[in-house]
Amino acid sequence: MHVPDGFFDAPVSIGAGVVAAAGIGLCLKGARRELDDRTAPLAGLTAAFIFAAQMINFPVASGTSGHLMGGALAAILVGPYTGVLCISVVLLIQMFFADGGVTAYGINVTLMGIVSVVVGYGIFRLLMGVLPKNRGGVTVASFTGAVVSVPASALAFVGLFAIGGTADLSLGAVATAMLGVHVLIGIGEGVITAVTVGSIAAVRPDLVHGVSLAPAAPLQLKGDAGMPVDPLVDTPPGSFTDTPADSPATGGASA
């Protein structure tokens, strides 16, 4: 969905740039509440993962292909404010590789950053309010939010095209092509998002901003009778803590 230069007229490009700038400014403030010393590195890893994943295209239909947009994935992992910032950084880097136009940067941020994050994360949170707080519920919510976020962005693209598209194409043709293809792309987006979020939530739910799962029960040592053993209290005889305090090994004096 990377929009090239010249696909929209100047008023639409400028207007989308204003929306993108305002959105990024708002997210810079909001991200302060989402990031800390523990989650800040995860934001960088998320942006790097989405950048790499967007380089991989998967076939869709009729010779077309799609790639991960990543808005819902980023929002679920690191929060909606930070998610928009991650996508904005990815799009900025890609712009220098001619993947998306310079004058269309605001449009791309609005479509793939703001719209996809708002829709994808909003649906995810709505479903998490009614689904079980387990890996299955997280997977379903992640999949659904990501699937819907892609055609929602495509629909926003059609709206902008209706206002200021420069290509000699009918609005009906653009709407049919964009929505038809991006519904299929959304399925691929949903699978990637669900697998990624579900896998992380299964082992480190504390690293997933959008979920609140009970941490896994800590491993317990088992005694000879199969009962739990507290290594600080019930250390079996013969271990290093079984040495008397007044033994020669401890340097203590005997009476």
Side-chain angles (χ1 to χ4, degrees), residues 214-222 228-229 231:
L219 295 177
Q220 290 183 327
L221 299 175
K222 297 294 184 179
V229 173

Side-chain angles (χ1 to χ4, degrees), residues 38-229:
R38 179 178 56 86
T39 57
L42 180 61
L45 292 175
T46 300
F49 173 78
I50 292 174
F51 177 81
Q54 285 193 0
M55 298 295 103
I56 303 174
N57 290 337
F58 50 85
V60 178
S62 302
T64 60
S65 62
H67 61 74
L68 179 76
M69 285 175 50
L73 174 61
I76 295 169
L77 289 179
V78 296
Y81 295 108
T82 308
V84 171
L85 297 180
C86 288
I87 301 300
S88 299
V89 170
V90 169
L91 293 173
L92 181 64
I93 297 174
Q94 290 176 338
M95 184 182 68
F96 292 104
F97 291 93
D99 197 359
V102 176
T103 60
Y105 177 71
I107 295 175
N108 287 321
V109 170
T110 300
L111 296 177
M112 290 189 284
I114 298 175
V115 173
S116 66
V117 165
V118 171
V119 174
Y121 188 74
I123 292 177
F124 171 83
R125 293 301 302 171
L126 181 64
L127 292 178
M128 285 302 298
V130 297
L131 291 174
K133 302 299 189 295
N134 54 29
R135 185 179 181 183
V138 170
T139 301
V140 171
S142 300
F143 176 82
T144 307
V147 168
V148 178
S149 70
V150 176
S153 298
L155 185 61
F157 175 94
V158 174
L160 292 179
F161 184 85
I163 298 173
T166 59
D168 188 16
L169 297 170
S170 68
L171 182 60
V174 172
T176 300
M178 288 296 293
L179 293 177
V181 170
H182 283 85
V183 166
L184 299 177
I185 294 176
I187 297 175
E189 177 105 5
V191 171
I192 296 173
T193 302
V195 170
T196 303
V197 174
S199 299
I200 297 175
V203 294
R204 288 296 302 274
D206 58 302
L207 294 181
V208 182
H209 175 88
V211 303
S212 179
L213 301 178
L219 295 177
Q220 290 183 327
L221 299 175
K222 297 294 184 179
D224 294 337
M227 299 298 293
V229 173

